Amino acid sequence: MLRSKSLIASSIALAITLTAGLSGCSGGAAAAPGANAKRVDGGAIVYGHQQEPACVFGGWIEQAYLSYQVIDNLVSLDKNHRVVPWLAESWTTSADQLSWTFTLKKNVHFTDGTPVDAAAVAYNFDYWLGGGNSTAQVWLQGYYKSAEAVDATTVKIDLVKPYPNLDDNLTQSYFGIQSEKALKTRTKKQNCEAPIGSGAFTVEKWNRGEDIILKRNKNYTSAPANAKHKGAAYVDTVDWKFVSDPTTRVATLRSAETDAIYDVPAIEWKNLRDQGFQELKYVTPGRPQQITFNTAQGPFTDEKVRQAFAYSLDREKIVDAIGRGVIPYEGNGGVSRTTPGYSQKAADYYSHDAKKANALLDAAGWTEKNSDGYRVKDGKPLTVVLPYGAGSIVNADGASILQGVQEQAKAVGFNVKLVPVPQSAFFGGAYSKPAERDLAVGYWTAVNAGILYINWRQSTADAPNYNNAAFLNDATLEGLIVKANSTADLDAQNALYQQAQDYIAEHALAIGVYDRLSTLAVSPRLKGVWQEASQGGPVFHDAYLVK
């Protein structure tokens, strides 16, 4: 029943045959509780997650999923994309949009006993911008000026220019509020492994390579407005296990070793649903899983070659074959379909057209082919390097999709060298320089199209942008995005973001492949699990076991 991560999709037809042949592999049905099942008082949820981060709190979505359980934010995002109260009970903006004032709930404490007050919130903002969280930093840099505690429950955030999506962005768990005392007095290792927040759970123990035990905060009083209940969590503990292999994760759910698992393989989606497991699927807004072209050096400095690569692919067919109707195809290289301000025009810019691809390569001077069928120019084959974070940024289904990309691009003469990069090397900076790669694949979750600012802001000596995967400095594109970021009128803001996406598509700077998913499969004995709306992570505060 094992689905190998190194499965070679030599053609789309073969991929369809393989996935169809595996679809009959199924285990036993879930043991559903009886009609009169009652909620268990306490108990432990065992949850199977696919990746282990370096720290609980940080700038990666895998950390955000964990820290959401432990650290509260100022605000939350509901399922209708409305910003609702969490630690802040209300907030206002000044007429010039340069000041935001948040009024905090009273009598809320961090789990070390210190108050969640305005001084602590202001300290967190300065902590992020000072390098305490690189993701929070890149969201706010260029906009944040200062944070001030007006009184114990009032904090004022001053900006250098308008940023109407500030409250929207603060719903992401990268902006969780930690204890000022803990940040000042504990070691980096202590705050890494067991950060102090005011959340529904605390970190009791981290068994590296195995699991993290989260313990109920019995004094929890600060649930967000969109929570299903107020007060402490129903369960005593959550055993957050790390189970990297997708087949093994599914097996643990079927055998009742886990109560819920994350990142459900597409091939198992229908099987688990038919066997009585609840399934939750969230298409994360922000940047989708896309391919960005290196515009600084190599063959993709030529726009014709970038366009040829885009036309060489039937991306929708690849995704449908591997994703089996679970993974959505995404043509937009800027933002995903669930992102406000999404441009369908950008998504539809390139469809499979081998004739156009071949003509563009001919026009770019790649007129010859070698004995292996690859294009040649000036004696050099058209070889392009595509590294990817194997098992971290790209899961097993995604790796199979990239293999389909490799095969289709070969048909018009591209020799795509796929390089799976382990998590430690990937986050250590491997293949991050222009000379090391021709293509980059990846996502970046966000709650609005302001993610374009992070991904496409120009990189200068004074303000380098290491998140610009195209190594592109384009004043026109940046100007559209920066203007959108400070436009208060939502329709006008989204129109500018759409223009930016269309510009990315027109110049073939990036092409979408598929939408990043957050998926859960949950046992019938576990109720009340839901996915928070900013990033799709599991929420266990409202979850309970039944018998």
Side-chain angles (χ1 to χ4, degrees), residues 230-541:
K230 307 302 177 184
Y234 294 125
V235 297
D236 294 320
T237 60
V238 176
D239 185 353
W240 191 291
K241 291 185 177 295
F242 303 112
V243 187
S244 60
D245 182 73
T247 303
T248 303
R249 279 198 309 279
V250 172
T252 65
L253 184 68
R254 287 195 173 115
S255 63
E257 295 173 72
T258 55
D259 302 300
I261 61 169
Y262 181 79
D263 192 24
V264 181
I267 199 168
E268 290 284 14
W269 189 260
K270 183 178 185 300
N271 293 335
L272 289 173
R273 182 183 62 217
D274 291 347
Q275 291 160 15
F277 295 97
Q278 179 191 9
E279 292 177 322
L280 303 174
K281 182 171 77 169
Y282 180 83
V283 178
T284 55
R287 194 177 208 183
Q289 287 283 19
Q290 47 68 57
I291 293 173
T292 298
F293 298 94
N294 178 353
T295 64
Q297 63 183 77
F300 292 124
T301 56
D302 189 331
E303 185 173 309
K304 294 186 184 69
V305 180
R306 300 197 299 267
Q307 291 174 331
F309 191 88
Y311 281 122
S312 76
L313 305 176
D314 191 338
R315 290 165 286 160
E316 187 168 9
K317 189 173 183 179
I318 299 171
V319 173
D320 286 349
I322 303 299
R324 303 174 65 83
V326 178
I327 303 171
Y329 162 69
E330 179 56 77
N332 191 324
V335 300
S336 71
R337 69 190 63 202
T338 56
T339 311
Y342 176 80
S343 170
Q344 189 63 49
K345 178 182 176 182
D348 295 338
Y349 218 92
Y350 299 99
S351 56
H352 180 231
D353 192 326
K355 185 176 180 180
K356 278 187 179 180
N358 282 310
L360 284 162
L361 288 175
D362 289 341
W366 295 91
T367 54
E368 300 177 21
K369 281 190 176 183
N370 63 19
S371 59
D372 293 321
Y374 298 121
R375 295 271 181 159
V376 175
K377 181 180 181 181
D378 299 329
K380 295 182 179 179
L382 185 50
T383 299
V384 294
V385 177
L386 174 52
Y388 64 96
S392 55
I393 303 301
V394 176
N395 65 9
D397 286 331
S400 294
I401 289 170
L402 291 181
Q403 289 157 7
V405 167
Q406 180 186 51
E407 288 297 321
Q408 287 194 347
K410 180 179 180 180
V412 301
F414 285 96
N415 181 16
V416 180
K417 295 291 188 182
L418 293 177
V419 183
V421 185
Q423 179 178 316
S424 59
F426 189 85
F427 289 112
Y431 295 94
S432 61
K433 299 175 182 177
E436 296 176 316
R437 68 171 192 242
D438 300 292
L439 298 163
V441 63
Y443 66 88
W444 192 310
T445 65
V447 293
N448 52 61
I451 188 61
L452 294 167
Y453 176 72
I454 293 175
N455 297 149
W456 297 100
R457 178 179 63 78
Q458 297 181 81
S459 184
T460 65
D462 293 334
N465 182 9
Y466 302 112
N467 302 301
N468 185 333
F471 310 109
L472 176 77
N473 284 342
D474 190 305
T476 300
L477 178 58
E478 184 185 66
L480 289 168
I481 298 165
V482 169
K483 187 176 180 181
N485 275 0
S486 290
T487 299
D489 180 82
L490 188 59
D491 290 338
Q493 179 190 104
N494 285 337
L496 288 164
Y497 284 138
Q498 288 166 351
Q499 288 180 49
Q501 294 162 60
D502 296 345
Y503 189 93
I504 292 166
E506 178 185 354
H507 296 285
L509 302 174
I511 54 172
V513 183
Y514 61 98
D515 284 316
R516 185 197 177 277
L517 296 178
S518 172
T519 57
L520 296 169
V522 183
S523 168
R525 64 182 173 272
L526 178 61
K527 305 294 183 182
V529 177
W530 55 282
Q531 292 173 292
E532 60 87 20
S534 72
Q535 295 170 300
V539 180
F540 292 120
H541 164 250

